[in-house]
Amino acid sequence: MNPQSPIPRATPPSGSPSTPLCGSLSLRDFRPADDAALLRTWVTTPAALMTWAGPGLSWPLDDAQLAAYAADPGRLVWTAVSPAGEPVGHVSVAGTRLGRVLIAPAARGRGLGAALVSLAVERGFGELGLPEISLGVWAHNTAAIRIYERLGFRTEEVLTDVEEVDGTPWTALQMRLTARST
C-alpha cells in the first residue's frame, strides 16, 4: 500500500479476532476458464445479475459474456480467495470505478465483503495510484452501502428509478472515496 494514501480499514464484526479482515482474503486475477462456471452459480436470477452487474451483462449469464468482460483492456478483474485457496468473491476496477463486487452466497455474513472492498481499494490507491475510487450501488442494497460508508465512501448522487426489475423501479447511488495524504 502506498503510505501516502492510507485508506480506512474494515472493522472486524463484534466477537471477531482483532486482526484485519483483509488478511483473510487475497486477490488473484480472474480466470474465465476456471472461475466463470463458479461465478454463474453465485448469480442465479435476472435480479441477482442486475444487482451484481447492472445493465452491462444480460440474462442468462454465460461464458462468452464473462470472457468478454474479463478481456476488456481497461478493466482489472479479480477473484477473492480464502487462505485455503477457495474462491469466495469477485471484484473489478475499470479506470477509477470499482464494480461488480460479489461474495459467494455460502461465504456471506462473515465480513468478507468489507475485506474484499478494502483489498480492492488498497490496490486502487496503492499499486494503481488512483486519486479517487467511485462506484454505483442500488439503494436497496443496504448491506453493501453500510460497508462502503464504513470504509469512507460518500454518496455524491442519487439516480432515482433508473432501472426497472420485475416491475419495481430501482434507484442507484453514486459513491466516491478520495485518496488522502498523510
Side-chain angles (χ1 to χ4, degrees):
M1 186 168 88
N2 180 349
Q4 299 290 313
S5 304
I7 63 161
R9 286 290 201 165
T11 304
S14 298
S16 294
S18 60
T19 57
L21 288 171
C22 289
S24 64
L25 292 181
S26 60
L27 296 178
R28 66 160 168 77
D29 289 342
F30 177 73
R31 300 182 300 240
D34 298 328
D35 300 329
L38 182 61
L39 189 55
R40 284 195 322 274
T41 69
W42 300 348
V43 181
T44 58
T45 67
L49 179 61
M50 179 64 76
T51 299
W52 173 60
L57 298 173
S58 60
W59 185 258
L61 187 59
D62 59 33
D63 288 345
Q65 289 182 84
L66 289 170
Y69 153 69
D72 177 347
R75 183 181 308 271
L76 298 170
V77 184
W78 300 299
T79 296
V81 294
S82 71
E86 174 189 6
V88 294
H90 180 91
V91 66
S92 67
V93 173
T96 62
R97 188 102 171 144
L98 179 71
R100 302 202 172 139
V101 177
L102 183 65
I103 295 295
R108 293 179 186 159
R110 300 189 309 204
L112 298 178
L116 174 57
V117 174
S118 291
L119 281 171
V121 167
E122 282 181 13
R123 287 233 178 141
F125 289 151
E127 293 172 32
L128 303 176
L130 301 176
E132 67 180 29
I133 297 173
S134 64
L135 60 85
V137 60
W138 299 112
H140 63 271
N141 193 348
T142 56
I145 293 167
R146 281 193 302 272
I147 289 169
Y148 300 141
E149 288 176 339
R150 190 170 66 233
L151 295 175
F153 284 87
R154 296 295 171 247
T155 300
E156 295 207 322
E157 186 176 10
V158 176
L159 305 172
T160 304
D161 300 342
V162 293
E163 288 290 335
E164 186 173 310
V165 178
D166 296 331
T168 302
W170 285 17
T171 294
L173 306 180
Q174 300 300 308
M175 302 181 81
R176 182 167 56 119
L177 177 65
T178 302
R180 293 187 290 263
S181 307
T182 56

